[in-house]
Amino acid sequence: MINKIRGLLTQWYELNKRTLPWRDSGDAYRIWLSEIILQQTRVEQGTPYYLAFTNRFKTITELADASEDEILKLWQGLGYYSRARNLHAAAKQIKNEFGGKFPTSYESIIQLKGVGPYTAAAISSIAFNEAKAVVDGNVIRVISRLFGIEEAVNNAQVQKQIQTLADELLDHAKPGMFNQAMMEFGALYCTPKNPNCAECVLSTFCIAKKNNLVAVVPFKEKKLKRRSRFFHFIVFENEGKTFLQQRGEKDVWQGLFQFPLIETESDFELDSDMINQNLNAEIQVNKAVKVKKHVLSHQDLWGRFYHVSGEMQNVSNYKLVSINELHTFALPRLIDRYLETEPFNA
Ligand code: SF4
């Protein structure tokens, strides 16, 4: 199967590859320049910049000797200006450390400023025929669909699996051509939206197509931003009774019981007046206790507990309960922990 996919992709590439000014040049300088320009940039947008740079700087040494201002001026409009600065720094590195000749192996190319594993694999395979499989967004998409990978592709294990499959697929006799075929296939056929499955030469092998998963593969696990929340629980005590309220839906601890809660945007200690205003009560704080943070999957909860006495309205969502029966209510772990260290009748 791997051999068949490799053969079909190669044939497809020969028939469908776009004519691009750096393609087939075999010149590491030009391939490197195109790769840096095309990071975060579409081919149509990047091509005029590539032509402007190669017209102005015929050699890496000319690029190295240019002023940063001139390079930034030529780069103007492409965005991500750190790429232009890195390009200049790498040109100087090549001039000073490699005698102006582009380094010829993956291991030396990856030492250049602004060059990561993907770019080093692309240059070393395309310019120097080194058998290094590239894995960019296009390759990830093609491989995860072909092999029906139903796990998040930003997971480290899955990334390793994709690299292994890319290494197995690679044509060791023509790695540069094959890497370009994979990327071109992802850019033109196996696109993120509406891939051309109807005309795809690999469709009979494609597990995502077979299992109707093309629209969902590949996917990434969203890294949710952690959120800090500050909870103030009002622990009322009067004649052996306290108030509880039940938590609502669509939030943490759904349906569990808690002491009447005031939530604030930042961490500070409430005083009696603030509590009275918020809860329409007439209480006095006897003791305020801060507990450690409670870590949930995407939230850090900070709890403060206020022991109060006085008058509190028995509003509809509060429940006046006997302190002796507290253990019969489902309480969040944060409150349980608090009661273990600060029991009512201590
Ligand atoms: S059948 Fe569709 S999803 Fe599968 S490799 Fe071809 S274009 Fe991509």
Side-chain angles (χ1 to χ4, degrees), residues 23 39 106 135 182 214 218 226 239 242 285 313 315 317 346:
R23 186 159 272 167
Q39 286 167 4
Y106 175 91
V135 176
M182 286 285 284
V214 174
R226 292 197 73 74
E239 297 180 351
T242 191
V285 174
Q313 303 267 354
V315 290
N317 62 337

Side-chain angles (χ1 to χ4, degrees), residues 142 145-146 185 189-190 195-197 200 202-203 206 208-209 214:
V142 173
R145 285 177 176 164
L146 267 179
F185 185 75
Y189 263 61
C190 198
N196 193 355
C197 301
C200 174
L202 304 178
S203 65
C206 181
K209 178 157 188 289
V214 174

Side-chain angles (χ1 to χ4, degrees), residues 203-325:
S203 65
T204 50
F205 299 98
C206 181
I207 296 176
K209 178 157 188 289
K210 192 171 138 214
N211 295 342
N212 223 3
L213 290 170
V214 174
V216 287
V217 169
F219 68 90
K220 283 186 179 168
E221 219 157 48
K222 282 202 185 102
K223 290 201 174 92
L224 292 177
K225 242 179 99 191
R226 292 197 73 74
R227 179 179 166 208
S228 288
R229 298 175 73 179
F230 305 97
F231 285 179
H232 306 261
F233 294 108
I234 313 306
V235 186
F236 176 77
E237 184 173 4
N238 192 14
E239 297 180 351
K241 300 211 162 162
T242 191
F243 281 113
L244 289 184
Q245 65 180 150
Q246 192 168 22
R247 288 189 65 85
E249 290 178 12
K250 295 191 182 143
D251 200 354
V252 296
W253 302 333
Q254 195 178 317
L256 300 192
F257 286 85
Q258 65 190 10
F259 297 116
L261 172 74
I262 299 169
E263 186 172 351
T264 55
E265 294 288 319
S266 56
D267 188 24
F268 58 89
E269 191 174 309
L270 302 179
D271 61 23
S272 301
D273 286 347
M274 291 170 181
I275 296 172
N276 285 333
Q277 253 177 24
N278 265 281
L279 299 185
N280 195 18
E282 281 179 39
I283 54 82
Q284 197 59 43
V285 174
N286 300 326
K287 185 165 82 172
V289 182
K290 185 178 182 184
V291 295
K292 281 197 175 118
K293 77 172 173 183
H294 185 73
V295 178
L296 297 176
S297 56
H298 301 304
Q299 300 187 17
D300 294 329
L301 307 182
W302 298 86
R304 286 178 185 268
F305 291 79
Y306 301 80
H307 272 252
V308 305
S309 55
E311 292 287 321
M312 259 177 74
Q313 303 267 354
N314 188 359
V315 290
S316 59
N317 62 337
Y318 290 174
K319 224 176 162 52
L320 191 62
V321 303
S322 162
I323 287 166
N324 293 334
E325 288 171 5

